[in-house]
Amino acid sequence: MTEDLRKLVVDGIEIEAPADMTLLQACELAGAEIPRFCYHERLSIAGNCRMCLVEVVGAPKPVASCAQAVSDLRPGRDGEPPAVNTRTEYVKKAREGVMEFLLINHPLDCPICDQGGECDLQDQAVAYGRSFTRYDENKRAVEDKNMGPLVKTIMTRCIQCTRCVRFISEVAGVEEIGMTSRGEDAEITTYLEKSLTSELSGNVIDLCPVGALTSKPYAFNARPWELEPTETVDVMDALGSNIRVDARGPAVLRILPRVNEEINEEWISDKTRFVWDGLGRQRLDAPYVRKNGKLETATWTEALDAAAARLKGDPDKVAAIAGDLADAESMKALKDLMASLGVPHLDCRQDGAKIGGGPREAYLFNTTIYGVEDADAILLIGTNPRLEAPILNARIRKTWLDKDDVQIGVVGEPEDLTYPYAFLGGGADTMKAIADGAHDFFPILEKARRPMVILGMGALARPDGAAILKLAHDLAKKAGMFIAPTAEDQEGWNGFNVLHTAAARVAGLDLGFLPGERGRDIAGILDGAAAGDIETVYLLGADEIDAAKLKDAFVIYQGHHGDAGAHVADVILPGAAYTEKHGLYVNTEGRAQRGRRAVFPKGLAREDWAILRALSEKAGRTLAYDSLEELRAKLMEDHPTFAALDYAPGGASAGSFADAEVGAAGKLDPAPLRSTVSNFHFTNAIARASKTMAETDAAVRAATGDLRAAE
Amino acid sequence: MTARRIAKDQPETFAWTKESRAEVNWWLKKYPGDRRRSAVIPMLWIAQKQEGWVTEPAMRAIGAELDMAHIRVMEVASFYTMFNLAPAGEHLIQVCGTTPCMIRGSQELNAVCERKIGPKGELSADGKFSWMEVECLGACANAPMVQVSTRTSDHYFEDLTPESLEKLLDDLAAGREVTPGPQNGRQTSAPAGEPKTLTDKKLYDGSLAKPVTLPNTAPKENA
């Protein structure tokens, strides 16, 4: 397809810009800087702040460049390309006028405003405003609104750009914010001031160009220039959203998104953004050893000796479980340690999902998150992406918004996903019907050019998970979801997707943190521990298991929060949370990403790989690496996928992977497929320790409950 | 003007009466399929005529029926000032306060309302009246004027003086018949008193007409 390019002259520079581009973008293309408040490239165009005025030669008035398309411009009288000026005295005067109007009602409270230092209005007032005001009258004051425990409102500062209104309706997909009244009385509010219920609501804080919507938990905590930013990745879900962790001294004070078009665009979920207060609560900051039934603080030597003594016992009575937040290096170190001890009982699948072992394609989100936008038929099975991966859900919603013909079907629970879908049924029998071609949805998938299926943990973390995996793969194959790359279609298409909920899971599966020969899986380990067959259990941050079954076993817990695992522990080795260590994480697409340390581990806690290295020495099985770099080198040597940083394989292998080994035949259970995430705010130990998450959970419940009761 | 907020005390429920329902259905038929949201303004208006004001349960009911988020309905209801977000009197007096009416003494009408009814926006002691100041109602030739709205009617009362407005209010309170239109004996917006121009009778009997020849007509005997 050839693009319709138009010539235009911006500030004397002739450029060619696509006809459907806005004038604002075209001016930027030519290197001009256009100030703006309401315009945002990921939201619809409102054109109401008027800050982006430019001079179009021949036009009688200044033109709002965000609301004008390049194709709207007409050539000059003699056919010369249209000319736009952005730096003339005329434009300067127009901007000064707009800025003066915006500031008429904006309070001069920058010294007590949390936006201070990173405020669009502040910056642009300096760059494009006058140095004085001609307005002597009283400013208007607006009552603050309640938007819940995450978003703080100081509505007098609002300049009515409506970015928050557009974000919440368009991207988050819940129409909860609106602008009421008109003219001077216009106000941004939620309906009857109810709490926002979106999992993405925190993004309005970033979008707000002034200090009207700010972060409630971060209020009055710090100034932006005091903070030390660290670029890292998120572990709250399996997407690996790119984040920036802002810390001051030893404390993480806030988490912001980084732009990554392939994963999170520029959004992050509320759990990702606001979980940081959990990093300061319930922390394990010293080694503990259980003496006379009570956990007592101990020295590292005591704790490591106690742990090593148990590990040296009969290897068939030892087991290790890796949790959902573990980094790849510590899992690799633990796996190597267990291998050298001869322990076969390893598992990284806390929820008991029946995946791993076969080809990598059988447990990856092969379409890639970015690839979802190409899909024209989507089948969700046993998953609620809104709770499991809100950013992915926003991407599905975006796909649905951008295309009229996307067909979405759901097998599982009929939950509100923020976009309409066809509810096909609850259980595996529906899947079977689709796979057999007997269901109405099958022709939709078959006819689609880019069909995809998303299989959630709710479908796999069941006794019949392997059979469902196989069934889903057969369905995908029959519907033509595997399109091998060709010369014309170099990307290929793999429409078979597994949506993980644990940040550590894909790395664990990639490096084979799975039961060895005659090894027990997670259920086997827990039952074995309850029956006395397993005597020592090593938990690497594993908290989402039935810890009561470990009562009689000797539990070594290595982790950072005093959660379920630590409560049953006999030895606690305090580790580092994700913001406190360098580590590799592989997201659900199979994309390896590097997390970086923002602050040091708390108290006596150490980085996890170093704890395992020290423990191996005590156990007489010293691991063959002395630094994280050496460990990484070994990891990449043994498992080359870790070496391809920031790369998601996508559809490259769609035609060539060993598809016979996906899942296993078996009997299907007719019970409905339920998402494994029933509570978005409490999915991991950090979130459970967070007061903000607890408050948000209560507020969202109250807001949704109230509305439901009222209807 | 102060920010309009929905009333604190709200009824529990809202239901259309049979007549309102029929009217709503008529409007919905006008906007079928995915255009049904266009019926939001007529529906708010019908709800207001039924209840006297737009209640919060009514906004929710309209939102549910039109598949609109509640906040979207509230945006519309709060944007248009003719939607009452709080209970209004049986007779809602809307005093036009825009320039022509103001020059012709609308502020004195405000004073009458304040004295006879009470503060702006509040119900009178007997609950029968409330009043508000509104922007131009388009009857500038008959300034100053008020619109009196009831559940069944919206009538203009024009060419008012403080005295004639006071009489109007008294009549309404007593339930006496009132006549909409100019209150000073004027015929619509014709000049007050007798006509002063174009008074010659000959203008109207055809006696001043001159014969003309129209172009492109068949040549007949020119009379």
Side-chain angles (χ1 to χ4, degrees):
Chain A
M1 204 171 72
T2 51
E3 245 180 324
D4 181 9
L5 289 174
R6 304 282 173 93
K7 266 203 182 77
L8 70 159
V9 179
V10 178
D11 296 333
I13 304 165
E14 187 172 302
I15 57 160
E16 284 200 327
D20 56 356
M21 206 176 220
T22 66
L23 198 47
L24 189 149
Q25 290 169 312
C27 290
E28 288 194 327
L29 215 60
E33 188 182 89
I34 308 289
R36 87 285 308 260
F37 294 110
C38 72
Y39 176 79
H40 192 278
E41 55 198 347
R42 288 177 220 277
L43 302 175
S44 63
I45 290 165
N48 54 6
C49 78
R50 315 311 288 181
M51 196 63 209
C52 62
L53 294 177
V54 296
E55 176 187 6
V56 174
V57 175
K61 288 187 279 185
V63 165
S65 60
C66 73
Q68 193 91 347
V70 169
S71 57
D72 292 338
L73 300 180
R74 293 285 165 268
R77 194 176 295 153
D78 306 316
E80 74 270 19
V84 178
N85 293 323
T86 71
R87 283 168 222 190
T88 51
E89 193 55 34
Y90 179 79
V91 175
K92 181 167 177 282
K93 199 174 159 216
R95 285 174 183 164
E96 277 175 359
V98 170
M99 181 55 81
E100 198 173 7
F101 273 122
L102 285 174
L103 292 178
I104 277 178
N105 277 320
H106 191 82
L108 196 58
D109 63 352
C110 305
I112 56 152
C113 176
D114 261 331
Q115 194 86 352
E118 48 187 5
C119 174
D120 290 356
L121 187 61
Q122 219 174 22
D123 298 347
Q124 292 182 30
V126 171
Y128 304 104
R130 290 173 200 271
S131 55
F132 61 93
T133 177
R134 293 176 284 182
Y135 190 72
D136 289 332
E137 286 77 7
N138 287 333
K139 287 174 184 257
R140 86 174 189 150
V142 183
E143 285 163 42
D144 294 343
K145 307 292 185 293
N146 170 40
M147 289 198 185
L150 300 178
V151 181
K152 184 183 170 187
T153 64
I154 302 97
M155 295 321 271
T156 301
R157 296 180 188 147
C158 178
I159 57 167
Q160 284 87 40
C161 71
T162 67
R163 273 188 190 177
C164 52
V165 178
R166 285 174 282 146
F167 173 83
I168 286 287
S169 339
E170 291 164 18
V171 179
V174 290
E175 292 186 87
E176 289 178 343
I177 303 185
M179 184 158 81
T180 62
S181 293
R182 62 194 289 177
E184 201 193 359
D185 299 322
E187 294 181 328
I188 299 291
T189 184
T190 55
Y191 188 71
L192 306 183
E193 298 197 32
K194 285 205 172 20
S195 240
L196 293 170
T197 62
S198 168
E199 292 75 23
L200 298 169
S201 63
N203 293 301
V204 300
I205 297 166
D206 292 343
L207 285 173
C208 184
V210 296
L213 306 179
T214 55
S215 167
K216 214 176 239 183
Y218 171 73
F220 307 131
N221 260 354
R223 284 299 189 187
W225 56 84
E226 301 174 316
L227 299 169
E228 188 66 46
T230 307
E231 302 201 333
T232 182
V233 294
D234 173 53
V235 298
M236 291 300 124
D237 53 38
L239 298 187
S241 296
N242 286 205
I243 54 170
R244 189 183 104 191
V245 174
D246 279 356
R248 186 177 55 189
V252 172
L253 288 187
R254 66 173 179 179
I255 296 173
L256 299 175
R258 274 190 295 141
V259 175
N260 186 328
E261 296 295 344
E262 300 200 346
I263 303 173
N264 55 314
E265 299 178 270
E266 63 185 84
W267 321 123
I268 52 174
S269 75
D270 287 353
K271 189 161 51 179
T272 303
R273 183 185 299 268
F274 293 108
V275 80
W276 52 266
D277 74 318
L279 291 167
R281 291 199 171 84
Q282 303 277 335
R283 288 305 298 268
L284 302 171
D285 56 359
Y288 286 83
V289 174
R290 196 176 288 274
K291 288 178 187 152
N292 307 321
K294 278 188 77 176
L295 281 170
E296 290 178 15
T297 49
T299 63
W300 268 108
T301 318
E302 284 171 349
L304 288 173
D305 282 341
R310 296 294 302 202
L311 291 179
K312 281 193 265 186
D314 179 1
D316 204 40
K317 301 207 164 189
V318 179
I321 302 170
D324 289 352
L325 306 180
D327 55 305
E329 290 91 336
S330 58
M331 281 191 285
K332 172 70 176 159
L334 181 56
K335 188 194 168 207
D336 286 353
L337 174 61
M338 290 298 152
S340 67
L341 291 164
V343 173
H345 311 304
L346 298 182
D347 209 339
C348 65
R349 301 163 300 187
Q350 285 193 88
D351 52 13
K354 300 286 183 288
I355 40 172
R360 207 166 173 237
E361 287 77 3
Y363 58 81
L364 291 188
F365 198 93
N366 297 300
T367 301
T368 72
I369 298 164
Y370 183 66
V372 170
E373 291 185 18
D374 292 331
D376 45 5
I378 304 173
L379 176 60
L380 301 169
I381 298 175
T383 179
N384 178 348
R386 181 170 173 187
L387 300 186
E388 292 172 18
I391 298 297
L392 174 71
N393 201 53
R395 193 74 84 141
I396 299 176
R397 182 179 155 79
K398 185 180 175 194
T399 309
W400 167 76
L401 271 181
D402 288 352
K403 297 187 194 172
D404 322 328
D405 56 346
V406 181
Q407 302 276 342
I408 304 171
V410 167
V411 176
E413 296 162 289
E415 293 285 345
D416 176 9
L417 297 180
T418 71
Y419 40 83
Y421 57 81
F423 181 67
L424 309 175
D429 44 339
T430 313
M431 275 179 75
K432 188 97 179 63
I434 301 171
D436 292 344
H439 197 283
D440 293 344
F441 204 73
F442 183 76
I444 294 173
L445 289 172
E446 201 183 20
K447 278 196 205 102
R449 213 175 55 79
R450 294 289 197 220
M452 65 184 285
V453 56
I454 301 178
L455 205 53
M457 286 301 120
L460 300 173
R462 304 162 28 117
D464 62 345
I468 291 186
L469 182 65
K470 184 171 171 51
L471 180 60
H473 172 264
D474 293 348
L475 186 162
K477 193 162 185 180
K478 195 163 170 192
M481 295 193 193
F482 302 105
I483 301 167
T486 56
E488 299 89 66
D489 179 12
Q490 295 183 352
E491 304 261 296
W493 178 260
N494 186 336
F496 180 75
N497 298 289
V498 173
L499 176 60
H500 290 268
T501 52
R505 187 66 50 80
V506 175
L509 297 173
D510 277 352
L511 59 82
F513 203 98
L514 293 165
E517 225 170 287
R518 287 177 292 102
R520 294 165 181 264
D521 65 1
I522 185 88
I525 293 170
L526 293 175
D527 292 342
D533 298 336
I534 298 282
E535 289 173 355
T536 305
V537 181
Y538 197 103
L539 300 179
L540 179 62
D543 292 300
E544 289 77 29
I545 48 173
D546 186 2
K549 288 189 174 169
L550 300 176
K551 266 205 318 272
D552 300 327
F554 187 88
V555 177
I556 304 162
Y557 181 82
Q558 176 184 345
H560 42 78
H561 273 78
D563 205 70
H567 289 157
V568 296
D570 295 283
V571 172
I572 292 177
L573 307 174
Y578 70 112
T579 50
E580 297 156 8
K581 60 187 170 191
H582 296 293
L584 292 174
Y585 299 92
V586 184
N587 82 350
T588 191
E589 304 165 286
R591 187 193 301 270
Q593 299 190 101
R594 241 170 90 175
R596 289 176 188 81
R597 182 175 60 212
V599 293
F600 286 97
K602 300 270 179 219
L604 294 175
R606 290 291 175 266
E607 295 202 2
D608 290 274
W609 79 271
I611 296 171
L612 287 156
R613 170 68 177 69
L615 181 62
S616 70
E617 206 170 320
K618 293 274 184 194
R621 309 271 174 173
T622 309
L623 291 168
Y625 20 81
D626 296 332
S627 69
L628 187 63
E629 283 66 42
E630 285 176 43
L631 168 51
R632 270 196 190 149
K634 179 92 170 67
L635 176 69
M636 291 174 184
E637 186 190 324
D638 293 352
H639 311 285
T641 53
F642 285 95
L645 281 180
D646 300 327
Y647 165 76
S653 60
S656 55
F657 69 97
D659 59 357
E661 292 167 41
V662 179
K667 214 168 123 24
L668 293 168
D669 182 349
L673 308 169
R674 291 190 187 288
S675 169
T676 50
V677 177
S678 57
N679 195 322
F680 171 71
H681 300 101
F682 298 132
T683 51
N684 62 53
I686 306 174
R688 283 188 291 268
S690 159
K691 224 169 112 187
T692 311
M693 285 295 110
E695 281 169 12
T696 312
D697 192 64
V700 168
R701 262 162 216 285
T704 47
D706 282 0
L707 285 179
R708 273 183 199 152
E711 268 163 17
Chain B
M1 209 163 88
T2 47
R4 283 151 30 90
R5 295 282 157 73
I6 66 169
K8 284 225 158 50
D9 294 323
Q10 293 280 350
E12 290 286 311
T13 55
F14 170 82
W16 299 105
T17 60
K18 217 174 125 221
E19 295 76 33
S20 307
R21 187 68 246 181
E23 218 175 322
V24 165
N25 289 345
W26 184 84
W27 280 101
L28 286 175
K29 241 193 294 179
K30 250 178 120 164
Y31 306 114
D34 59 351
R35 308 280 171 192
R36 58 196 287 110
R37 288 176 188 201
S38 299
V40 66
I41 290 178
M43 281 173 82
L44 283 167
W45 188 251
I46 296 163
Q48 167 154 315
K49 280 294 171 196
Q50 179 187 313
E51 305 285 300
W53 57 297
V54 178
T55 65
E56 192 267 328
M59 285 192 245
R60 264 191 282 130
I62 292 168
E65 178 150 4
L66 299 182
D67 193 21
M68 271 172 97
H70 302 151
I71 185 75
R72 295 281 102 87
V73 182
M74 193 153 98
E75 282 178 338
V76 175
S78 64
F79 184 88
Y80 294 104
T81 49
M82 57 279 238
F83 290 128
N84 304 321
L85 302 182
E90 195 184 307
H91 302 281
L92 172 62
I93 317 294
Q94 295 144 75
V95 184
C96 175
T98 307
T99 318
C101 282
M102 192 195 75
I103 292 170
R104 298 276 294 156
S106 74
Q107 276 154 340
E108 284 150 45
L109 303 187
N110 287 352
V112 171
C113 289
E114 203 147 87
R115 183 157 48 78
K116 304 259 326 173
I117 301 173
K120 203 191 277 184
E122 283 179 29
L123 281 179
S124 61
D126 58 3
K128 274 189 153 175
F129 290 92
S130 63
W131 74 281
M132 62 198 281
E133 195 178 326
V134 298
E135 299 305 327
C136 186
L137 288 167
C140 311
N142 296 63
M145 57 82 66
V146 302
Q147 178 180 244
V148 179
S149 294
T150 67
R151 299 209 183 176
T152 49
S153 66
D154 299 280
H155 285 309
Y156 278 17
F157 294 87
E158 301 153 321
D159 294 316
L160 291 166
T161 58
E163 294 73 35
S164 57
L165 177 62
E166 204 162 335
K167 180 173 175 302
L168 174 68
L169 295 178
D170 288 337
D171 287 350
L172 289 171
R176 283 192 286 270
E177 190 81 12
V178 289
T179 320
Q183 302 296 301
N184 62 352
R186 226 170 131 189
Q187 183 197 349
T188 64
S189 52
E194 290 297 305
K196 292 189 175 64
T197 56
L198 303 174
T199 47
D200 192 345
K201 287 249 160 46
K202 275 197 281 187
L203 280 170
Y204 307 103
D205 60 7
S207 57
L208 294 178
K210 277 185 199 148
V212 290
T213 313
L214 295 173
N216 301 325
T217 46
K220 281 185 216 160
E221 70 280 30
N222 279 331

